[in-house]
Amino acid sequence: KPDEARKSPSVPLGKAPDGSSLDPSALSRIAVTAKALGLSAEAATKLVQHDHELIQTYNASLSEEWKTQQTEWVTTLKADTEVGGVEFVANMEHAKRALERFGTKEFREELDQSGYGNHPGLVKAFAKIGKAMAEDTLAVGSHGAATPMESKFFDHPTSKALT
């Protein structure tokens, strides 16, 4: 009666292991494959466990690759001629200030959670914005250095600043 077994809609699999990424549609596909191969329910369950383990291993390798990528980004930033080197800390402060001013709380949280907050292009852009936001400083030439700035602004004889 093997023909009757093949007519059954699927092989009963139960549920996926705890913490599995296998959803009900994946279980259905495995059941269809198990049925097509003539597997027993026990063998199909082993197939589910096998697929679960493959997915877990793959996800772990992706996670490790992502951590490595983020570390490489930080190394790249520290060595960058534009934002790295001795000015690295100051440039990161510029980037942080710009992100705090223009980025929403949700955006900052997403950058932290996703790891994209370390992306060199993004960090460099925010560092440039932060530098542009930095308070302006007054450049005084050598001739004006000996004269107090107040005398330049309050030099009218009736000015109380000169008294």
Side-chain angles (χ1 to χ4, degrees):
K1 302 209 177 200
D3 290 334
E4 286 180 21
R6 290 186 184 171
K7 290 180 186 176
S8 66
S10 66
V11 175
L13 294 176
K15 64 177 198 152
D18 289 340
S20 178
S21 299
L22 294 170
D23 62 13
S25 66
L27 290 173
S28 294
R29 287 191 305 272
I30 293 170
V32 168
T33 301
K35 178 184 158 199
L37 294 172
L39 299 178
S40 67
E42 183 182 335
T45 301
K46 287 182 181 180
L47 186 59
V48 169
Q49 182 64 34
H50 176 264
D51 284 2
H52 166 73
E53 290 170 6
L54 282 176
I55 290 170
Q56 294 296 92
T57 301
Y58 178 71
N59 286 342
S61 72
L62 286 179
S63 178
E64 198 56 41
E65 285 177 27
W66 185 237
K67 287 177 186 176
T68 300
Q69 178 64 69
Q70 291 176 55
T71 301
E72 288 174 5
W73 283 344
V74 171
T75 301
T76 298
L77 283 167
K78 287 180 177 180
D80 188 84
T81 57
E82 190 176 339
V83 296
V86 295
E87 295 295 317
F88 179 73
V89 173
N91 284 318
M92 294 309 101
E93 285 300 317
H94 289 303
K96 181 180 176 184
R97 189 177 17 223
L99 181 59
E100 287 174 356
R101 180 163 179 198
F102 295 109
T104 64
K105 178 184 176 192
E106 293 80 14
F107 180 64
R108 292 189 306 267
E109 287 172 356
E110 186 62 32
L111 288 177
D112 286 341
Q113 290 172 2
S114 69
Y116 277 104
N118 293 325
H119 190 281
L122 189 65
V123 172
K124 287 168 78 170
F126 275 97
K128 286 179 185 178
I129 294 167
K131 280 183 185 179
M133 288 173 31
E135 292 182 28
D136 292 333
T137 57
L138 181 62
V140 179
S142 61
H143 293 329
T147 308
M149 288 303 296
E150 294 84 18
S151 67
K152 300 282 187 199
F153 290 106
F154 302 106
D155 62 354
H156 191 270
T158 60
S159 173
K160 292 182 183 181
L162 293 176
T163 58

